[in-house]
Amino acid sequence: MQEPLWRPSSAQVEQAQMTRFLHTVQDQYGAKVADYPTLYAWSLQQPEDFWAAVWRFCEVKSSQPWERVLENGDPMLGARWFVGSRLNFAENLLRYRDERPALVFWGEEGRRCALSYGELYLQVARLAQALKGAGVGVGDRVVGWLPNVPETVMAMLATTSLGAIWSSCSPDFGIQGVLDRFGQIAPKVLLAADGYHYKGKAIDSLSRLPKIAASLPGLRQVVVVPYLHRSPDLAAIPKAQRYEAFMGEAENPLLTFVQLPFDHPIYILYSSGTTGVPKCIVHGAGGTLLQHLKELRLHTDLKREDRIFYYTTCGWMMWNWLVSALATGATVVLYDGAPLYPRSESLWDMAAEEGITVFGASAKYLSALEKAGVQPARTHHLDKLRTLLSTGSPLAPESFDYVYRDIKGEVQLSSISGGTDIVSCFALGNPILPVYRGELQCRGLGMKVEIFDEKGRSVEGQKGELVCTAPFPAMPVFFWNDPGGKKYRAAYFERFPGVWTHGDYAELTAHGGLIIHGRSDTVLNPGGVRIGTAEIYRQVEKLPEILESLAIGQSWQGDVRIVLFVVLREGRVLDEALTNRIRQTIRKHASPHHMPAKVLQVPDMPRTLSGKLVELAVSHTIHGRPVKNLDALTNPEALEYFRDRPELQTD
């Protein structure tokens, strides 16, 4: 048995909210729980008692109590939670209205601002009143094409206070990327910034706004947040107002929190778009709130005196997760810009100055720090730092070594894993458990996570499919434009009927932890950004030279890099000029995250008997894994074009 890299002290265990919750369960339910494994087992055996205990422990604010905690719990798809209760998501995040800091913002260009909980409440009230005046009500959609600035948080809170639904994506998405998402949900109001900063460049957004606004059916209002300029010119943008003008002059606006059922929608997030336009995943107020409170208070031990930061854009579900920390009364630190600009230590400068206690970033970021020789332990005072979170891709064992050697020796390093599909985690950290090299500390309370082999048998100590075999409140309430739930069932419940199949290749360890070995489907995930291959193909195949394209994620130096294969028209050659045009087309019309690390030419591509390209077979081939079902391919010989390519052995 390997030795842990970190153990909590007896004082840390005693003071943790997880321990306090354990004692509460003992006292109130007479449960025989003595440690985390027995508490976890109880949470699965008694799901109604467990989730009711979380509700009470985390002091969920509601105007009406539930009649029943769980209804139709078997099978998973029919489950309904906290039936009869009524609440408002924003009210729970704005429960504090004092002068303690709620939001602190840093921009890469040096800008800093802060808002207290009292100031945040007033700003949200003003914006909610303005949205209501624009006709926004229960069930309407309000969308943000915005950088990670305080106005984005305010807009989400104002939207959900009214019972409307919030959806966002980051401003580095091109026009088509935005329309593929927002175009499906017919928003009533669009908020956008005039631009953003990245790697020292001021990048304009206004030039793209007219086409986006004109292509969204039913759009009544465009609200522009000045970020690059104090007074951006909006003449070319129909239905546009500057943010302050839209907010109006109300000095004491009334903020009314519309009370709605537990499963009323608050968020629309998006799938990766692997097989077409992204699926619109709708998340409910109560499930999102309860799951986030459980993860933030119990698994992350977040308290009012904490300062939590996660490097994210508002197009990644970690933004939604981070902002829920307002419900704990902690200070949420936002950053917008490139994480390694203007210097590799920039985020650590911020962490030291702000006294951040919980710091989160992607596995790719930690790997980049190590390659850059950054050693915060030697250069920064990080005495307040207690927990370091990592997600987006599996955190390599070597990165665990780097953190404890060069960032801080006494820190809880928690690799966490979940996703857009559940806007939360299946496995994550735990303040009362040790940290083992290369492992996620534990499965989350109330999450019946198992590993299935190919025949659907639950296994331990071997690799397999990560599944969840019992319902949980943070399951999506539905997919948008999915009558009868056909897309929903196909996304999660077809591989093993009645069981949530998540698409991760993982194993349970002897410590009760988890190791994620990567994605088991074809979603690309470089640096923690979920990317669907169809989003790349739609851009590449606009070029006249390209007949077909196929993208896979190659495991490379502890992360994943995108490799794009292309079939060209007869007589064409993949030279440097064409390679650059392919990359720039993807960057301009999708996003910088979609750009391939390698672009390689092949004469043909393998396809199924029905004519579909087989990305998974290509991925197996380049990684040296066997392709088990060659009979399903009409031209299996084409796989030889991908095998042992020397270009895939170099940077």
Side-chain angles (χ1 to χ4, degrees):
M1 296 285 284
Q2 69 178 100
E3 284 297 308
L5 298 172
W6 175 86
R7 281 189 188 276
S9 67
S10 56
Q12 287 172 316
V13 171
E14 184 180 343
Q15 295 165 12
Q17 293 180 84
M18 183 71 81
T19 301
R20 192 153 59 84
F21 179 74
L22 186 151
H23 292 323
T24 299
V25 165
Q26 290 173 334
D27 295 341
Q28 294 184 1
Y29 295 92
K32 296 179 180 179
V33 295
D35 51 20
Y36 186 77
T38 52
L39 178 63
Y40 175 70
W42 177 81
S43 76
L44 304 184
Q45 293 158 5
Q46 305 293 334
E48 295 187 47
D49 287 345
F50 165 70
W51 287 107
V54 173
W55 178 298
R56 295 186 181 103
F57 185 86
C58 296
E59 301 173 302
V60 170
K61 295 176 72 69
S62 66
S63 60
Q64 190 168 305
W66 65 82
E67 297 164 6
R68 187 170 179 183
V69 174
L70 177 59
E71 190 172 87
N72 301 327
D74 186 22
M76 286 183 74
L77 263 172
R80 293 182 64 218
W81 293 90
F82 294 92
V83 178
S85 65
R86 297 183 76 84
L87 53 80
N88 184 277
F89 183 78
E91 184 177 16
N92 278 274
L93 270 61
L94 291 172
R95 66 181 67 200
Y96 298 101
R97 299 168 195 177
D98 54 25
E99 295 311 303
R100 297 185 70 161
L103 298 175
V104 173
F105 168 75
W106 281 51
E108 72 162 40
E109 78 286 7
R111 188 181 317 188
R112 181 192 184 276
C113 67
L115 280 89
S116 70
Y117 272 93
E119 290 168 333
L120 177 62
Y121 181 86
L122 289 174
Q123 292 296 315
V124 171
R126 288 180 64 201
L127 185 51
Q129 187 166 302
L131 288 172
K132 190 174 182 180
V136 174
V138 174
D140 289 330
R141 278 75 62 205
V142 177
V143 297
W145 185 45
L146 290 162
N148 187 19
V149 292
E151 288 85 354
T152 311
V153 180
M154 295 175 205
M156 180 278 289
L157 291 168
T159 298
T160 55
S161 75
L162 297 171
I165 306 170
W166 173 256
S167 188
S168 59
C169 64
S170 60
D172 61 351
F173 275 73
I175 291 173
Q176 194 58 51
V178 175
L179 295 179
D180 282 350
R181 290 158 175 79
F182 296 163
Q184 297 186 66
I185 64 173
K188 192 169 278 187
V189 176
L190 164 67
L191 290 99
D194 60 344
Y196 61 101
H197 296 276
Y198 199 81
K199 290 187 177 178
K201 296 179 181 178
I203 301 170
D204 173 73
S205 295
L206 289 181
S207 60
R208 289 173 281 169
L209 258 182
K211 185 171 183 181
I212 290 172
S215 303
L216 293 174
L219 188 69
R220 292 190 185 180
Q221 182 78 55
V222 178
V223 181
V224 177
V225 176
Y227 188 46
L228 298 184
H229 310 285
R230 285 188 176 181
S231 186
D233 182 3
L234 309 184
I237 305 166
K239 308 170 189 173
Q241 268 188 295
R242 293 189 194 95
Y243 183 78
E244 280 300 321
F246 177 71
M247 292 266 277
E249 301 296 330
E251 293 184 6
N252 295 297
L254 180 65
L255 183 54
T256 302
F257 297 106
V258 179
Q259 301 296 304
L260 295 158
F262 184 85
D263 58 359
H264 179 77
I266 53 157
Y267 287 142
I268 298 175
L269 277 66
Y270 302 94
S271 73
S272 53
T274 303
T275 56
V277 294
K279 298 179 185 68
C280 304
I281 304 170
V282 183
H283 289 289
T288 303
L289 176 67
L290 204 58
Q291 180 84 332
H292 286 182
L293 282 170
K294 179 200 75 176
E295 294 180 348
L296 289 161
R297 287 193 55 180
L298 303 184
H299 285 277
T300 315
D301 202 30
L302 201 66
K303 304 181 179 77
R304 274 224 82 180
E305 58 268 24
D306 280 312
R307 292 190 162 212
I308 183 171
F309 164 76
Y310 216 105
Y311 179 75
T312 179
T313 70
C314 61
W316 188 19
M317 54 81 45
M318 290 310 300
W319 180 87
N320 307 76
W321 189 88
L322 172 67
V323 172
S324 285
L326 292 170
T328 73
T331 299
V332 173
V333 180
L334 309 172
Y335 182 89
D336 195 72
L340 303 174
Y341 183 89
R343 25 185 251 127
S344 299
E345 298 88 348
S346 289
L347 295 186
W348 296 103
D349 296 341
M350 179 185 70
E353 186 168 331
E354 296 294 344
I356 287 171
T357 56
V358 179
F359 182 106
S362 69
K364 184 177 181 180
Y365 169 76
L366 294 175
S367 176
L369 283 182
E370 182 176 15
K371 290 177 183 176
V374 177
Q375 298 177 305
R378 297 188 179 186
T379 57
H380 292 74
H381 294 290
L382 300 175
D383 52 308
K384 298 285 181 67
L385 181 66
R386 184 185 78 241
T387 304
L388 200 157
L389 305 175
S390 171
T391 194
S393 58
L395 187 63
E398 294 78 13
S399 291
F400 279 73
D401 300 336
Y402 166 68
V403 166
Y404 284 101
R405 181 184 67 243
D406 291 331
I407 295 182
K408 188 171 183 178
E410 278 301 314
V411 70
Q412 179 191 346
L413 173 58
S414 296
S415 180
I416 64 179
S417 180
T420 298
D421 315 84
I422 63 171
V423 73
S424 58
C425 303
F426 279 123
L428 65 170
N430 193 318
I432 66 172
L433 291 180
V435 173
Y436 289 93
R437 187 176 187 263
E439 296 185 19
L440 288 75
Q441 284 180 280
C442 67
R443 290 169 285 180
L445 289 172
M447 310 295 279
K448 197 173 183 182
V449 173
E450 300 179 53
I451 305 300
F452 274 12
D453 65 13
E454 291 184 353
K455 295 183 178 180
R457 297 173 299 200
S458 187
V459 297
E460 293 187 16
Q462 66 184 71
K463 299 174 185 177
E465 193 81 38
L466 189 151
V467 299
C468 190
T469 59
F472 52 95
M475 291 169 61
V477 290
F478 56 85
F479 283 5
W480 200 260
N481 294 328
D482 182 27
K486 184 178 178 181
K487 293 178 184 176
Y488 190 171
R489 286 192 297 273
Y492 311 115
F493 294 98
E494 283 191 351
R495 175 75 173 87
F496 303 107
V499 170
W500 179 290
T501 305
H502 196 57
D504 278 338
Y505 196 53
E507 68 177 298
L508 289 169
T509 72
H511 308 120
L514 205 70
I515 298 174
I516 307 288
H517 294 283
R519 296 293 294 171
S520 59
D521 55 18
T522 58
V523 174
L524 307 178
N525 209 22
V529 180
R530 287 169 56 92
I531 290 173
T533 52
E535 293 187 278
I536 296 175
Y537 304 155
R538 284 200 294 274
Q539 307 309 327
V540 175
E541 292 171 12
K542 290 177 183 176
L543 298 175
E545 298 90 342
I546 310 294
L547 287 177
E548 273 187 320
S549 59
L550 183 148
I552 57 94
Q554 181 193 12
S555 299
W556 185 254
Q557 296 182 352
D559 194 29
V560 173
R561 65 178 182 179
I562 297 175
V563 179
L564 178 68
F565 297 97
V566 293
V567 177
L568 303 184
R569 293 188 182 277
E570 188 174 351
R572 300 285 185 173
V573 177
L574 185 67
D575 55 17
E576 185 177 353
L578 179 55
T579 299
N580 287 337
R581 263 203 307 135
I582 290 170
R583 285 192 168 127
Q584 290 308 311
T585 298
I586 294 170
R587 179 188 180 94
K588 180 179 179 182
H589 296 291
S591 86
H593 302 297
H594 292 68
M595 285 205 305
K598 297 277 185 177
V599 182
L600 304 175
Q601 185 175 353
V602 291
D604 195 12
M605 299 201 186
R607 59 190 71 248
T608 65
L609 299 174
S610 61
K612 294 181 180 179
L613 295 179
V614 281
E615 298 155 308
L616 196 56
V618 171
S619 180
H620 284 331
T621 300
I622 72 158
H623 287 103
R625 298 193 293 260
V627 179
K628 295 181 180 179
N629 194 10
L630 291 174
D631 291 340
L633 305 182
T634 187
N635 58 339
E637 68 278 2
L639 288 172
E640 294 306 311
Y641 300 130
F642 302 84
R643 195 181 309 279
D644 299 324
R645 293 286 298 248
E647 303 98 325
L648 298 181
Q649 308 306 314
T650 60
D651 287 330

